[in-house]
């Protein structure tokens, strides 16, 4: 199937798929691995995602650079979740087995406190611009190095570090100025 789809793509579309894969393979694999909890399942989800990217390449090729990665990440996440929902036929290797989920179930009080903390943090993050949120997401959600963030944003590594520091300083200042309002 993959060969068939690749054979009908135009050269520029084929190059775009190759570039997406080459530039984002590790990121996609890390995201899928976090969701599935298994490297083998993550690779299966990534294969499904690549096929969906190929099938949607016309739409993807019309996206802006920053939208393109986000769109492809969404495809990878959805494929990983679909794999979990289907009850993947892969059996994780012993070293990949997930920890017992019932090892620590939060008490009702802990659940309420966690929900309040999350709401407060969301409210605090709403004060950031889209670019600032994207930078934080790349750095802390996807655990990307500043060198990779710099490459994706087409800036120097030093500029990426500075932007990250400024965003953290901005959040700190807002938190200190309005800590009562955010309940953080």
């Amino acid at each position: 199937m993959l060969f068939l789809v690749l054979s009908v793509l135009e050269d520029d579309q084929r190059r775009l798929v190759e570039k997406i894969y080459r530039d984002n393979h590790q990121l996609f694999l890390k995201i899928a691995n976090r969701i599935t909890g298994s490297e083998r399942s993550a690779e299966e989800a990534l294969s499904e995602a690549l096929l969906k990217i190929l099938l949607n390449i016309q739409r993807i090729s019309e996206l802006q650079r920053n939208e393109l990665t986000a769109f492809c990440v969404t495809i990878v996440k959805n494929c990983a979740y679909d794999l979990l929902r289907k009850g993947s036929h892969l059996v994780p290797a012993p070293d990949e087995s997930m920890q017992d989920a019932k090892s620590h179930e939060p008490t009702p009080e802990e659940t309420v406190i966690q929900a309040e903390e999350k709401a407060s943090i969301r409210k605090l993050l709403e004060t950031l611009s889209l670019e600032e949120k994207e930078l934080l997401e790349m750095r802390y959600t996807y655990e990307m190095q500043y060198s990779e963030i710099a490459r994706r944003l087409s800036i120097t590594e030093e500029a990426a570090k500075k932007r990250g520091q400024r965003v953290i300083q901005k959040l700190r200042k807002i938190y200190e100025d309005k800590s009562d309002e955010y309940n953080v």
Side-chain angles (χ1 to χ4, degrees), residues 37-93:
S38 163
E39 192 172 314
R40 290 168 50 199
S41 295
E43 288 176 7
E44 184 177 337
L46 190 56
S47 295
E48 283 292 319
L50 183 59
L51 183 58
K52 288 185 180 187
I53 288 170
L54 284 168
L55 294 173
N56 290 291
I57 194 62
Q58 181 65 36
R59 180 174 174 202
I60 291 171
S61 62
E62 297 169 357
L63 297 173
Q64 300 293 325
R65 184 178 59 86
N66 60 338
E67 295 173 324
L68 185 138
T69 302
F71 186 82
C72 291
V73 164
T74 302
I75 291 174
V76 170
K77 285 180 178 179
N78 289 341
C79 288
Y81 286 125
D82 287 347
L83 189 67
L84 285 178
R85 271 187 231 115
K86 290 177 188 172
S88 175
H89 63 278
L90 295 175
V91 178

Side-chain angles (χ1 to χ4, degrees), residues 4 7 14 20 28 32 49 54 56 59 61 67 81-83 85 103 106 111 115 123 135-136 142 155 158 165 172 181:
L4 179 64
S7 66
R14 191 175 304 115
I20 290 169
F28 294 164
L54 284 168
N56 290 291
R59 180 174 174 202
S61 62
E67 295 173 324
Y81 286 125
D82 287 347
L83 189 67
R85 271 187 231 115
S103 62
T111 304
K123 189 174 180 182
L135 190 136
L136 288 180
Y142 302 123
I155 58 176
E158 190 60 35
Q165 291 169 350
R172 248 188 220 123
E181 181 180 332

Side-chain angles (χ1 to χ4, degrees), residues 121 123-128 132 136 140 164-178 182:
I121 291 171
K123 189 174 180 182
L124 187 62
L125 291 174
E126 287 174 2
T127 64
L128 299 178
E132 291 168 331
L136 288 180
Y140 298 105
Q165 291 169 350
R166 286 185 185 130
V167 172
I168 297 300
Q169 287 173 345
K170 179 179 177 178
L171 286 173
R172 248 188 220 123
K173 181 162 177 34
I174 294 169
Y175 168 74
E176 290 168 358
D177 292 347
K178 299 182 179 184
Y182 289 107

Side-chain angles (χ1 to χ4, degrees), residues 8-22:
V8 297
L9 292 179
E10 297 174 11
D11 287 340
D12 58 333
Q13 291 175 331
R14 191 175 304 115
R15 282 191 296 272
L16 178 60
V17 170
E18 290 169 358
K19 182 176 177 10
I20 290 169
Y21 182 81
R22 188 177 52 251

